[in-house]
Amino acid sequence: MSGTFVGMPAFPKAAHEAVNNATLRGNLRHATHTIRTKRAKAVAELSDWAELREAGKRIKDHTLRHLDRYLTQLEESVTAAGGVVHWAADAEEANRIVTALVKMTGESEVVKVKSMATQEIGLNEALEAAGIHAYETDLAELIVQLGKDRPSHILVPAIHRNRGEIRDIFVREMGEWGRPAPEGLTDTPAELAEAARLHLREKFLRAKVGISGANFMVAETGTLVVVESEGNGRMCLTLPETLISVVGIEKIVPSWRDLEVFLQTLPRSSTAERMNPYTSMWTGTTDGDGPQTFHLVLLDNGRTDTLADEVGRQALRCIRCSACLNVCPVYERAGGHAYGSVYPGPIGAILSPQLRGTASEIDASLPYASSLCGACYEVCPVAIDIPEVLVHLRERIAEGGRVTKDGNTVVLKPAKGHAAERAAMRAARWAFSHPGAMGAGQRLASRTRRFHPRTLPGPGRAWSATRELPAVPAESFREWWQRTRGGKDTTK
Amino acid sequence: MSSRDLILGRVRRALADVPRDGAPPAPERPGKDSPYEEAVARSYLREHGSRSVAETVDLLAENLADYRAIVHRSTEEELPYVIMRLLAERGAQYVLVPPRLPPEWMSAADPTQVHDRAVSTPHELDRVASVVTGCAVAVAETGTIVLDGSPDQGRRRITLIPDHHICVVRVPDQVVASVPQALERLDPARPLTWISGPSATSDIELDRVEGVHGPRTLEVVLVSGE
Ligand code: SF4
């Protein structure tokens, strides 16, 4: 994935540092708790949440199971609608394609709508190296870019920054990149947003090339969908003459009608809204409206390797709503940067090691960045069993085994230095094969949480020595779940 | 080997363990039933709760307002005056109108009407404060209006650059209850913009701020036939 994260310390070390940063922890706690509470309310509004979740899971599973077919169908429909489809096996190839496409336009500036796929491949850096300047236009991404920082949350990438820090970044940096921050800028969110509006509008109105990702691609119609709040997406998708979208191959849904599921579950799971302020859908090009040239770059970059893993492939169902981040006790304390990839939190802990392999220390440590409490699975709108995949990946790291890398089967050796994890993993596996024991263990842990040690005894000591043990919640998630939406009728 | 063949080959090898569930082709034509439709059970609801037509319109108004759109109601006769008043309140001197907005809607308005021509640059449109459009469909449960670029709505950019958007929704004809019902009515071949409230961000300490890039004020006029 992105070169940005090369040289990251492994999760335990990074998390340890983050945990000692009181500002970061305060910001994160405030943010995740706010979204969490709102989300539960938004979900409770839909009496058929469980059915929507099941349908979302099945649509995605069905798509993955016939991915070759849907990819070729998508290619046909996008081409028929006037778009040009490119295929990129890895980050390097995707960057090369996009750079060449931008060069063909003769432009040296592009506007970008927040896209995890382009962050994953390090596109901004690649463009910069080719003398092309990429402006991030999402407010949070702008904060991150101006602050020469990395995003730490899927949805609120600057969640680790408070308003005072943001003001300082704007005052210091905006002038370097374009229109400077207004005189006497204060730290009220409204003024900060206004400063960003003025700064970015200047760029939108003259932009000739836009770069985006997409939340969904519809195979039968060739439609791409971008879901957003601010309108910077609409700006990037409609004002430039050329639009280049870089999208992971797993983002397909088969039919137009499938959108009815995800347009209901995604906004509620992510921003806890009935609907996000803006959703744009485009099918190829439209004469006289919006970009007249449209390129779609279909990105593999480890996705087919992930698809080859029978347990791990479910991670490809992810619609990047970020609900799992907001309920994760480990994420809440460690922060997004500790995960060392563009995909933080529970989903990052299973996605990054699959997309990138587990050769690096950080990737090998990610499957341990969890307390396996199960909260991430309960909130996931496509029912990805993150704990199951975590345990599976731990097992693979600890004991080695066959994996697919760049399309070839390779045999991993057991990781060295993971003796403690091996023990922890065995315990976890036992708990998973004895669900009763896990439930009881969790409930017991809740009741006795005041007496919990800060480090684990026995073989877990080495593991907990470098990690802040998450505080045990007052009520276990399962208890809470049962109390609040027990049984099938889960949304009442 | 091309990257296309490489990726498709990898996909096929990755799925070697997977029994292909029969022939699951996607629908041949949008919206038509097909074997795929049977492969995925859709036991979720087509609409949440049962409401009369009037209640659905009320819910639309309520949810629009909840997402900070300003909602007005009028009859067809009153509409030109409502539009006149809303533009006057903003002190608008110029107003953008799509090519085939019903002319009577603007019959009482004072501001000069500006058309979006192909040669108009975004900078020129940026000097216009307000825009008036119709819509394709409105979704009551989510408080959403959808634009599809029809001649009474215009190019996507005209509802994006001005700071003030007045959108006229014909009730009850253009109102549906839910997202599934809205998708049924829309044509995927058109560029679609779903709007739920004005532009907003919660990026700074999760405080909601209206208007970063899109129009900061969205006024919706629900106009009834009689
Ligand atoms: S794993 Fe599930 S909950 Fe987490 S971001 Fe993806 S879809 Fe959302």
Side-chain angles (χ1 to χ4, degrees):
Chain A
M1 277 191 256
S2 165
T4 323
F5 298 105
V6 166
M8 265 306 283
F11 184 84
K13 188 154 176 292
H16 193 72
E17 282 159 16
V19 165
N20 287 328
N21 178 339
T23 315
L24 168 68
R25 226 173 40 221
N27 293 355
L28 269 177
R29 204 185 140 71
H30 169 64
T32 55
H33 282 249
T34 310
I35 306 181
R36 207 191 289 187
T37 319
K38 274 176 63 193
R39 179 201 156 273
K41 231 179 97 198
V43 164
E45 268 187 21
L46 295 187
S47 54
D48 57 343
W49 187 259
E51 287 80 11
L52 283 167
R53 185 180 190 235
E54 182 62 24
K57 169 179 188 258
R58 289 195 187 199
I59 290 169
K60 283 283 188 171
D61 274 348
H62 170 90
T63 314
L64 290 171
R65 137 190 307 231
H66 301 281
L67 192 58
D68 48 346
R69 193 207 128 77
Y70 286 122
L71 279 168
T72 42
Q73 191 189 12
L74 177 78
E75 181 185 43
E76 275 167 37
S77 6
V78 169
T79 310
V84 184
V85 177
H86 310 259
W87 301 71
D90 55 24
E92 208 239 300
E93 185 174 18
N95 287 333
R96 211 169 48 230
I97 293 169
V98 177
T99 308
L101 290 173
V102 177
K103 288 223 148 153
M104 259 164 52
T105 66
E107 294 294 315
S108 58
E109 259 181 30
V110 301
V111 287
K112 281 187 69 204
V113 48
K114 176 186 154 182
S115 139
M116 300 192 71
T118 62
Q119 273 165 27
E120 173 189 320
I121 60 175
L123 178 64
N124 290 5
E125 293 78 3
L127 289 173
E128 200 70 64
I132 298 161
H133 201 81
Y135 293 110
E136 292 292 347
T137 61
D138 170 87
L139 175 54
E141 290 295 337
L142 174 75
I143 296 167
V144 167
Q145 192 176 45
L146 291 178
K148 302 182 180 68
D149 201 356
R150 288 188 304 260
S152 63
H153 190 283
I154 294 179
L155 184 74
V156 218
I159 202 167
H160 56 291
R161 296 284 197 188
N162 62 30
R163 60 183 73 189
E165 295 175 290
I166 295 168
R167 181 202 161 267
D168 294 346
I169 292 172
F170 279 10
V171 169
R172 203 174 56 230
E173 301 290 337
M174 271 184 173
E176 300 281 310
W177 297 70
R179 183 172 175 149
E183 288 283 315
L185 179 68
T186 73
D187 67 357
T188 62
E191 272 195 40
L192 295 171
E194 174 71 14
R197 180 185 177 96
L198 296 170
H199 178 80
L200 287 171
R201 185 158 279 241
E202 175 199 77
K203 299 196 164 49
F204 286 132
L205 297 184
R206 64 160 193 250
K208 296 279 182 288
V209 184
I211 296 183
S212 83
N215 294 85
F216 305 101
M217 308 186 282
V218 182
E220 69 166 331
T221 60
T223 308
L224 270 78
V225 182
V226 162
V227 167
E228 51 133 0
S229 297
E230 295 175 9
N232 64 304
R234 293 178 64 193
M235 291 272 184
C236 295
L237 300 169
T238 51
L239 296 186
E241 290 158 11
T242 301
L243 172 62
I244 304 168
S245 302
V246 182
V247 190
I249 53 173
E250 81 284 17
K251 295 267 167 133
I252 298 188
V253 296
S255 76
W256 173 248
R257 186 178 172 191
D258 294 329
L259 294 175
E260 70 191 17
V261 174
F262 302 106
L263 288 182
Q264 293 190 78
T265 52
L266 177 58
R268 287 178 205 259
S269 297
S270 74
T271 46
E273 294 170 302
R274 288 183 200 112
M275 187 61 92
N276 47 286
Y278 296 130
T279 300
S280 298
M281 302 179 182
W282 72 100
T283 304
T285 53
T286 305
D287 275 347
D289 185 356
Q292 296 301 295
T293 309
F294 168 55
H295 295 276
L296 171 61
V297 181
L298 294 171
L299 177 71
D300 179 348
N301 204 34
R303 285 159 177 78
T304 47
D305 291 345
T306 308
L307 189 64
D309 188 310
E310 290 170 33
V311 179
R313 63 166 63 124
Q314 56 182 304
L316 297 176
R317 294 206 295 261
C318 178
I319 56 172
R320 315 271 189 265
C321 73
S322 77
C324 58
L325 277 63
N326 299 323
V327 295
C328 177
V330 176
Y331 172 82
E332 186 189 310
R333 285 167 182 74
H337 290 154
Y339 294 81
S341 94
V342 296
Y343 305 107
I347 180 62
I350 63 169
L351 199 53
S352 307
Q354 296 201 84
L355 292 179
R356 303 193 290 206
T358 49
S360 77
E361 205 194 339
I362 177 110
D363 289 324
S365 71
L366 283 176
Y368 300 92
S370 165
S371 62
L372 298 179
C373 73
C376 48
Y377 167 65
E378 308 282 4
V379 296
C380 178
V382 284
I384 300 173
D385 195 339
I386 297 178
E388 182 192 15
V389 182
L390 283 167
V391 172
H392 166 74
L393 293 176
R394 287 180 189 188
E395 191 171 65
R396 200 165 78 188
I397 289 162
E399 294 178 356
R402 292 154 70 87
V403 292
T404 308
K405 182 80 192 129
D406 301 329
N408 301 311
T409 306
V410 293
V411 179
L412 276 185
K413 286 208 211 60
K416 289 199 190 76
H418 276 280
E421 274 87 343
R422 262 201 288 281
M425 186 273 302
R426 273 196 292 270
R429 195 171 31 172
W430 180 83
F432 268 90
S433 52
H434 300 77
M438 186 170 86
Q442 263 193 22
R443 281 196 298 279
L444 203 66
S446 299
R447 287 199 199 103
T448 60
R449 75 199 168 106
R450 277 189 299 133
F451 311 111
H452 267 248
R454 303 270 293 176
T455 54
L456 292 174
R461 189 195 306 275
W463 187 80
S464 59
T466 50
R467 291 157 175 85
E468 178 97 333
L469 276 189
V472 181
E475 180 179 34
S476 83
F477 196 83
R478 275 154 189 262
E479 276 180 327
W480 173 82
W481 183 261
Q482 240 123 47
R483 181 170 59 77
T484 51
R485 353 200 161 125
K488 190 173 173 298
D489 200 12
T490 52
T491 51
K492 290 285 153 67
Chain B
M1 199 187 341
S2 72
S3 293
R4 178 183 190 276
D5 295 341
L6 180 75
I7 295 171
L8 289 172
R10 283 178 183 176
V11 169
R12 288 179 191 126
R13 277 201 306 283
L15 293 170
D17 68 296
V18 175
R20 304 292 183 111
D21 49 7
E28 276 159 20
R29 278 191 293 144
K32 292 281 172 291
D33 281 349
S34 74
Y36 168 65
E37 294 299 337
E38 283 144 37
V40 174
R42 293 174 196 268
S43 48
Y44 50 87
L45 303 171
R46 304 302 298 166
E47 118 168 59
H48 296 85
S50 60
R51 284 173 291 265
S52 67
V53 171
E55 283 166 345
T56 304
V57 174
D58 288 345
L59 182 67
L60 172 68
E62 200 180 298
N63 283 338
L64 280 164
D66 196 33
Y67 277 29
R68 318 218 188 155
I70 304 167
V71 181
H72 310 273
R73 295 205 190 217
S74 97
T75 63
E76 248 170 49
E77 290 80 66
E78 293 160 356
L79 181 62
Y81 303 98
V82 173
I83 292 178
M84 176 187 75
R85 179 169 58 80
L86 298 181
L87 290 170
E89 277 169 11
R90 303 278 303 191
Q93 309 231 326
Y94 296 93
V95 56
L96 256 175
V97 289
R100 253 177 277 148
L101 195 77
E104 60 277 11
W105 291 5
M106 300 302 293
S107 58
D110 304 320
T112 311
Q113 296 181 33
V114 180
H115 288 278
D116 170 31
R117 293 175 218 290
V119 294
S120 319
T121 66
H123 278 106
E124 282 159 13
L125 299 180
D126 194 29
R127 291 197 278 272
V128 185
S130 300
V131 57
V132 180
T133 71
C135 80
V137 67
V139 192
E141 286 180 7
T142 57
T144 305
I145 52 172
V146 187
L147 308 180
D148 71 356
S150 291
D152 63 338
Q153 297 151 52
R155 270 183 262 260
R156 283 171 281 174
R157 65 186 192 178
I158 69 167
T159 52
L160 176 59
I161 301 176
D163 203 22
H164 176 220
H165 178 194
I166 300 173
C167 180
V168 178
V169 181
R170 298 175 196 270
V171 303
D173 300 2
Q174 292 188 312
V175 184
V176 297
S178 65
V179 169
Q181 292 172 359
L183 283 160
E184 268 168 19
R185 281 217 198 173
L186 292 166
D187 176 359
R190 290 179 171 281
L192 301 172
T193 306
W194 299 49
I195 301 174
S196 311
S199 158
T201 183
S202 300
D203 280 347
I204 303 165
E205 295 186 18
L206 298 176
D207 268 359
R208 190 177 164 104
V209 179
E210 252 99 77
V212 198
H213 305 301
R216 280 181 283 200
T217 310
L218 171 65
E219 303 205 63
V220 180
V221 186
L222 305 178
V223 58
S224 55
E226 78 276 2

